[in-house]
């Protein structure tokens, strides 16, 4: 079902998704330390979502008869100069994830791996959503600049995000 090259790239993307969960939980810790519990909660939810993304790769690799290969990664960045700095960093991280998903899709197409293409389509769409939601928060934080009341409003708004569990087979 997988060429060696595609299997390696799938396992590498699984690593990137779990790395994202690690990074966003580190960011949640930063926001907790800044007394912004709403934004911290938003980041915790994001971390949970990333775990499900990693699990989707795990499940697909197994179902398609490939061998999973769990990989480690370096410590995530734990400290940021400001909430805006943190969200700018996360937006750049999402752009990196988008680029690596797109490369995977290109490889699946070149190799005429139709099942992998259908599986990856979900991630292509998801990345549009991810970049859009991080980008929107970056814009809000740029707009409020040093207005403390504006930051508290963003904290309150982001605190409403709830984790919606999707079945891991999806
Ligand atoms: Fe699963 Fe935010 O990339």
């Amino acid at each position: 079902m997988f060429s060696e090259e595609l299997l390696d790239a799938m396992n590498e993307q699984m690593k990137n998704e779990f790395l994202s969960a690690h990074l966003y939980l580190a960011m949640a810790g930063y926001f907790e330390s800044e007394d912004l519990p709403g934004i911290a909660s938003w980041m915790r939810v994001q971390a949970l979502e990333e775990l499900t993304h990693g699990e989707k790769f795990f499940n697909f690799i197994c179902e398609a008869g490939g061998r999973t290969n769990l990989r480690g990664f370096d410590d995530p960045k734990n400290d940021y100069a400001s909430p805006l700095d943190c969200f700018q960093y996360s937006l750049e991280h999402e752009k990196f994830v988008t680029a690596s998903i797109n490369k995977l899709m290109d490889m699946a197409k070149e190799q005429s791996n139709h099942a992998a293409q259908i599986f990856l389509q979900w991630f292509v769409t998801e990345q549009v959503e991810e970049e859009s939601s991080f980008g929107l928060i970056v814009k809000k934080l740029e707009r409020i600049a040093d207005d403390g009341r504006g930051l508290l409003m963003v904290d309150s708004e982001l605190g409403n995000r709830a984790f919606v569990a999707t079945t891991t087979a999806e």
Side-chain angles (χ1 to χ4, degrees):
M1 167 60 88
F2 292 117
S3 68
E4 221 172 279
E5 185 191 24
L6 186 58
L7 178 60
D8 178 65
M10 284 277 180
N11 274 307
E12 191 62 15
Q13 188 59 35
M14 175 168 66
K15 180 192 86 174
N16 287 336
E17 300 294 344
F18 287 129
L19 179 157
S20 300
H22 211 55
L23 175 65
Y24 294 136
L25 195 57
M27 289 182 177
Y30 162 72
F31 284 111
E32 291 286 0
S33 76
E34 292 290 304
D35 296 322
L36 293 165
I39 308 180
S41 167
W42 192 96
M43 280 296 181
R44 285 173 192 253
V45 172
Q46 185 64 33
L48 288 173
E49 277 200 3
E50 298 295 354
L51 288 178
T52 69
H53 295 174
E55 202 179 9
K56 279 178 197 283
F57 274 93
F58 184 92
N59 289 342
F60 183 70
I61 291 168
C62 290
E63 281 164 10
R67 181 69 174 92
T68 54
N69 180 239
L70 272 287
R71 296 171 185 178
F73 33 78
D74 293 337
D75 293 347
K77 185 168 159 59
N78 280 285
D79 292 306
Y80 298 89
S82 65
L84 176 59
D85 176 45
C86 185
F87 271 92
Q88 282 170 333
Y89 191 92
S90 60
L91 179 58
E92 288 311 305
H93 177 72
E94 285 302 326
K95 287 179 182 172
F96 156 75
V97 173
T98 300
S100 84
I101 291 281
N102 288 344
K103 261 170 74 180
L104 247 183
M105 179 62 106
D106 289 345
M107 193 184 292
K109 280 187 176 163
E110 279 161 20
Q111 298 184 7
S112 300
N113 190 322
H114 299 140
Q117 288 174 54
I118 290 166
F119 169 74
L120 289 167
Q121 189 59 53
W122 184 90
F123 284 89
V124 171
T125 309
E126 174 69 7
Q127 282 310 119
V128 174
E129 222 177 89
E130 296 270 76
E131 283 195 32
S132 163
S133 68
F134 279 98
L136 207 68
I137 297 169
V138 165
K139 280 189 189 135
K140 277 185 189 174
L141 292 173
E142 280 172 348
R143 207 165 291 154
I144 65 174
D146 293 329
D147 174 8
R149 270 189 311 176
L151 185 57
L152 288 179
M153 280 173 67
V154 170
D155 187 59
S156 167
E157 183 196 331
L158 295 193
N160 292 326
R161 182 185 185 185
F163 175 63
V164 181
T166 57
T167 67
T168 54
E170 271 177 14

